[in-house]
C-alpha cells in the first residue's frame, strides 16, 4: 500500500481520504472488499492526519489477499511515514 499526503490550507479543515484500488487488485468483489476494509481502518485513524490533510491510499495487488489486520498495519506504517514526510517538507520537527 502507498499513502500520499498533502495539505490544502484553503480547503476544509477536516482531513479527507481517497482510495485507489485498480483492477490489478482483482475483480470487482475483491476491489470492493479491499475498499471497505480500508475505509473502516482509515476511519479509526483520521486523528493521525493533520487538519487540512488530503490523503490518497493506493492499494497494491497484494492487498487482495491481505486480512483486515494486515491492511490496518500497512495503513499505520504508510500514514506515519506520510505524516513524517509532510512535516519534514514543511520544516516542522516532530
Amino acid at each position: 500500500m502507498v499513502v500520499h499526503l498533502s495539505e490544502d490550507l484553503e480547503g476544509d479543515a477536516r482531513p479527507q481520504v481517497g482510495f485507489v484500488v485498480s483492477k490489478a487488485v482483482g475483480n470487482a468483489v475483491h476491489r470492493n472488499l479491499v475498499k471497505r476494509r480500508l475505509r473502516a481502518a482509515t476511519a479509526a485513524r483520521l486523528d493521525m492526519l493533520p487538519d487540512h490533510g488530503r490523503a490518497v491510499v493506493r492499494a497494491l495487488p497484494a492487498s487482495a489477499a491481505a486480512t483486515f489486520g494486515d491492511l490496518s498495519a500497512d495503513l499505520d506504517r504508510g500514514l506515519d511515514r506520510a505524516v513524517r514526510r509532510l512535516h519534514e517538507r514543511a520544516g516542522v520537527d516532530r
Side-chain angles (χ1 to χ4, degrees):
M1 159 178 338
V2 179
V3 178
H4 301 279
L5 180 63
S6 67
E7 281 186 302
D8 178 15
L9 298 177
E10 296 178 8
D12 194 10
R14 296 180 320 204
Q16 295 178 339
V17 180
F19 303 96
V20 177
V21 183
S22 73
K23 288 184 178 183
V25 173
N27 63 24
V29 173
H30 288 108
R31 292 193 309 270
N32 287 326
L33 177 64
V34 169
K35 277 189 275 191
R36 284 193 307 271
R37 287 178 174 173
L38 286 174
R39 276 191 205 111
T42 303
R45 291 163 177 80
L46 283 177
D47 59 335
M48 292 176 69
L49 296 174
D51 291 341
H52 301 281
R54 303 296 181 258
V56 175
V57 178
R58 184 168 52 96
L60 299 176
S63 299
T67 65
F68 180 77
D70 294 338
L71 288 175
S72 296
D74 284 348
L75 185 62
D76 283 337
R77 284 189 298 273
L79 287 174
D80 184 51
R81 187 174 354 160
V83 168
R84 240 182 307 123
R85 286 183 181 166
L86 181 68
H87 286 142
E88 287 172 1
R89 282 193 307 245
V92 176
D93 248 357
R94 194 150 218 248

